[in-house]
Amino acid sequence: MSKAVSALDGVTFDGFAKVEETRLRGMITVRGDLSSKEMAAAVTAATGAAVPEVRKVTSGNTGAVAWMSPDELLVVVDYEAANTTVATLTDALKDSHALVANVSDARAVFRLSGDSSRDVLAKLAPVDFAKDAFGAGDIRRSRIAQVPAAVWGNEDGSFEVICFRSVAQYVFDVLKVSAQPGGEVGFHCRA
């Protein structure tokens, strides 16, 4: 068996914000009735987290759960736990109309940090990144330049950018260009 590696082998860039590819993550798409008691029980059993509200992320003792659409969640766990978590979710939802799919190896994740990280994102995505509009625990599915992506805010003020693995180099490159010294806009997405 080959060793699992991230899309860009942990590449980083230090500009007026730091861009870094994160380690591998277990990512599971779960589709179904998000308001059902079966979904709530399954998600809590798998992660310790509750089903999140619209455009929110919740965290539990073994994972995080992000709202992706009215019938879709993204469950994020340790990479090594992904298959076990899929089995837990599949078993818990066996009597429900639901889909559970391990998409870990189809995704790449970047972390964007620094005081001006909101500016980097605001130059690339049609999302209001002002502090009062987008904070910790918020998520948006949108695009980064020309490709689909999701962005979520972390408690420490950093952001996670999730994209398809096939466009990881492109996403890293546009984040890097947007974070180049001299490209500061000085707005910092004020509240």
Side-chain angles (χ1 to χ4, degrees):
M1 177 182 275
S2 61
K3 180 183 173 198
V5 295
S6 65
L8 302 178
D9 200 24
V11 66
T12 64
F13 173 76
D14 285 308
F16 67 82
K18 184 172 185 172
V19 180
E20 55 191 318
E21 184 191 27
T22 68
R23 62 182 173 78
L24 290 170
R25 305 265 182 91
M27 289 184 248
I28 301 154
T29 294
V30 181
R31 296 198 76 139
D33 181 357
L34 302 188
S35 65
S36 74
K37 63 182 181 185
E38 293 82 10
M39 183 66 73
V43 167
T44 301
T47 64
V51 172
E53 297 294 321
V54 174
R55 294 184 176 163
K56 296 292 182 182
V57 178
T58 57
S59 295
N61 55 346
T62 59
V65 183
W67 181 93
M68 299 301 277
S69 76
D71 70 344
E72 181 181 356
L73 300 173
L74 180 66
V75 175
V76 181
V77 295
D78 287 338
Y79 184 80
E80 297 76 21
N83 288 330
T84 303
T85 305
V86 165
T88 299
L89 289 163
T90 300
D91 185 55
L93 294 168
K94 68 181 177 233
D95 295 326
S96 301
H97 181 71
L99 167 78
V100 178
N102 184 345
V103 296
S104 306
D105 294 324
R107 304 285 189 267
V109 182
F110 296 94
R111 178 181 171 89
L112 188 60
S113 58
D115 291 340
S116 298
S117 55
R118 289 176 185 275
D119 285 359
V120 172
L121 291 169
K123 289 196 274 182
L124 296 171
V127 174
D128 184 356
F129 285 108
K131 290 179 184 176
D132 64 343
F134 194 97
D138 286 332
I139 187 166
R140 296 294 182 278
R141 279 178 93 164
S142 186
R143 60 182 170 81
I144 295 292
Q146 298 298 313
V147 297
V151 179
W152 89 37
N154 292 315
E155 291 292 331
D156 65 0
S158 67
F159 297 90
E160 306 280 329
V161 177
I162 302 168
C163 65
F164 292 114
R165 185 180 181 106
S166 60
V167 295
Q169 185 67 58
Y170 173 82
V171 171
F172 176 72
D173 289 345
V174 297
L175 289 169
K176 183 172 122 176
V177 167
S178 187
Q180 288 285 335
E184 301 87 346
V185 293
F187 178 60
H188 304 296
C189 294
R190 294 181 196 106

